[in-house]
Amino acid sequence: MTGFGTAAVHGDDGLVPGGAVAPPIVQSATFSAESDERFTEIATEPRGSAFYTRYGNPNHAQVAAVVAGLEGAETGLVTASGMGAISTLALALLSAGDHVVVQRSTYGGTTSLATGLLPRFGVACTQVDQTDTGAFERALRPETRLVLVETPSNPLLELTDLAAVVASAHAAGALVVVDNTFATPVNQRPLSAGADLVWHSGTKFLGGHSDVSAGVVVGPAGLVERVWQTAIVTGSTLGPVDAWLLLRGIRTLPLRVERHNANALALARALERHPAVARVRYPGLPSHPQHALARRQMTGFGGVLGVELTAGRAGAAALLAGLKLAKRAASLGSVSTLVVHPRSMWAGIVDAAQLAAAGIGDGLVRVSTGIEDTADLVDDFLAALDAAPA
């Protein structure tokens, strides 16, 4: 593999028509063929980009190729959102009577899919503590088909030992699917640890500018084609303009992630020392209980941290209200620093008991660092904390 910066810029070489340096937007829903033979060819080509945009589009092919290259995957496909990616993936690979293992600490949408939607279609689900590697193995059954992993997890920044989970899952005949949204391929490549498929909410770090909603699935061609066959039925189709925006964002991903990593580590170190803070959750801190694992399977620690305020919800509210640079918003991975109170954000999609069981308390604030100057960002948070109840 070439370097990440080179791969982000040149990963779609050969797929861009003409001599355009910036790929053109192919804003066409359908494509013509010059003969019956050619029409049959384009209509039956898996993940083709010259038949009908629900099946594929040149802009889809370009961005999928770049992400696949960054992840060390054979191929990929894009969807209209991250939830479109994981939902389509699950529908493609699961049937009634199957069983799924999913982490207790994971994105709320994934929890809702695994514990709410899939059981309606006869798919059983077991939630496990991802920090207990043995819990995955104990949860496996003969009918287990998928193990859904997110590392670091949203919003607790807990880690999953990828190599260990892959080994036990594969021994039981199950596939391992990894949400790599938080880490990005710059910081972590799950396929190199043996994972079967990787998916992203491209809305986050891949796009990077809070201006596109997208999802990506990458892996071996056979598995990706199975997902694609379901994708053309479910219709979670990414628009050509959004695919173009996603690709535009990915071009600078390695540069942005370097700043995200640096800002998050500096902010985590500063906040850990403040009396209004009970705990900082960040894999790059030696105080993180899985810091050694993070150093082993990650090359950088990411741009997201969790801050638990000593004063609970009152402290969280005061921090959010006192920030000047950071924006209160639901997403993450933007050039702007974004903050949110997870307990409030997920109240409508995950019930209170599940939130409590996952360890998401009232005093937790999730921080997604942007690419602002580090000193300005740290000063903004410290000033807001100085005014917060201790």
Side-chain angles (χ1 to χ4, degrees), residues 12-24:
D12 59 335
D13 281 359
L15 296 176
V16 180
V21 174

Side-chain angles (χ1 to χ4, degrees), residues 196-223:
D196 298 286
L197 289 169
V198 168
W199 70 279
H200 287 264
S201 172
T203 313
K204 313 302 194 299
F205 288 103
L206 295 187
H209 292 75
S210 296
D211 57 8
V212 63
S213 174
V216 187
V217 178
V218 298
L223 279 177

Side-chain angles (χ1 to χ4, degrees), residues 136-158:
F136 286 91
E137 187 169 7
R138 292 190 297 273
L140 293 169
R141 306 176 186 173
E143 64 271 23
T144 304
R145 296 293 173 264
L146 286 183
V147 178
L148 302 181
V149 170
E150 180 185 28
T151 181
S153 70
N154 185 1
L156 298 181
L157 284 302
E158 293 178 342

Side-chain angles (χ1 to χ4, degrees), residues 253-312:
L253 178 69
L255 296 174
R256 289 186 286 104
V257 169
E258 182 178 354
R259 175 59 71 88
H260 289 305
N261 289 346
N263 277 352
L265 181 59
L267 187 59
R269 286 171 172 167
L271 298 187
E272 193 173 42
R273 298 189 293 266
H274 198 282
V277 174
R279 179 182 180 184
V280 175
R281 294 176 175 267
Y282 185 66
L285 291 176
S287 59
H288 192 287
Q290 296 173 290
H291 180 62
L293 174 60
R295 291 178 63 87
R296 187 166 74 246
Q297 72 181 22
M298 302 179 74
T299 55
F301 303 115
V304 183
L305 57 147
V307 184
E308 296 182 5
L309 282 299
T310 305

